[in-house]
Amino acid sequence: MNNCPCGSSSMYEQCCKPIHQNIHNALTAESLMRSRYTAYTLGKIDYLMDSHHSSTRPFKEKKEILKWAKSMHWMRLEILSTTNGLQNDIKGTVEFNAFYHDGKQVQRLHENSSFVKEHDHWVYKSEV
């Protein structure tokens, strides 16, 4: 496999794969964000659910999210800014753009996401 889909200069096996195998390997909110983007590109819906805060996890939409994620050609992730979200923090935000092609044109998903620690690991909480 080439460089990790999250945009790092590392291979998937050294970048997001260890996080996909054990969420505790995401030491920062940004590393969790990157691993979630990569999960979308690879259709890892169970990881997306597991990395979502229990209070905002979209259980009913699981199949729809997977169908949508697999129907897109994911192009790249661009991290715009981070606030807190370091290893010793308990919350943080990551602002990003995710670019994808929907079969007709290039789309940009822009979000400022809130991350918190739940059960001693980072999870996505909501859009800020």
Side-chain angles (χ1 to χ4, degrees):
M1 182 177 262
N2 294 327
N3 287 352
C4 191
C6 78
S8 75
S9 59
S10 298
M11 303 287 275
Y12 170 71
E13 288 75 14
Q14 288 79 43
C15 189
C16 289
K17 185 176 182 179
I19 299 170
H20 290 162
Q21 293 173 330
N22 181 350
I23 198 165
H24 288 91
N25 288 327
L27 301 180
T28 65
E30 181 178 337
S31 64
L32 186 82
M33 173 59 236
R34 289 181 177 279
S35 72
R36 284 178 54 81
Y37 172 84
T38 298
Y40 274 104
T41 71
L42 300 176
K44 293 186 170 290
I45 192 66
D46 290 332
Y47 176 79
L48 289 169
M49 295 299 113
D50 291 344
S51 62
H52 210 289
H53 193 275
S54 61
S55 69
T56 57
R57 190 174 295 144
F59 287 112
K60 293 181 181 179
E61 296 88 11
K62 184 176 176 179
K63 289 180 183 178
E64 291 80 14
I65 293 169
L66 179 60
K67 182 179 176 183
W68 177 79
K70 286 186 168 187
S71 72
M72 302 301 155
H73 171 71
W74 295 93
M75 300 169 67
R76 68 183 169 96
L77 175 66
E78 178 181 69
I79 302 294
L80 301 174
S81 67
T82 61
T83 305
N84 300 319
L86 299 177
Q87 190 169 358
N88 293 324
D89 293 326
I90 59 169
K91 62 182 179 176
T93 62
V94 179
E95 183 180 10
F96 67 92
N97 287 322
F99 296 89
Y100 61 93
H101 196 282
D102 66 3
K104 297 178 184 175
Q105 61 185 358
V106 174
Q107 300 285 342
R108 176 181 65 104
L109 171 66
H110 174 260
E111 188 171 310
N112 193 5
S113 298
S114 171
F115 294 86
V116 298
K117 283 194 176 170
E118 180 178 53
H119 307 297
D120 203 32
H121 63 81
W122 287 105
V123 290
Y124 168 78
K125 178 96 186 246
S126 63
E127 187 171 355
V128 178

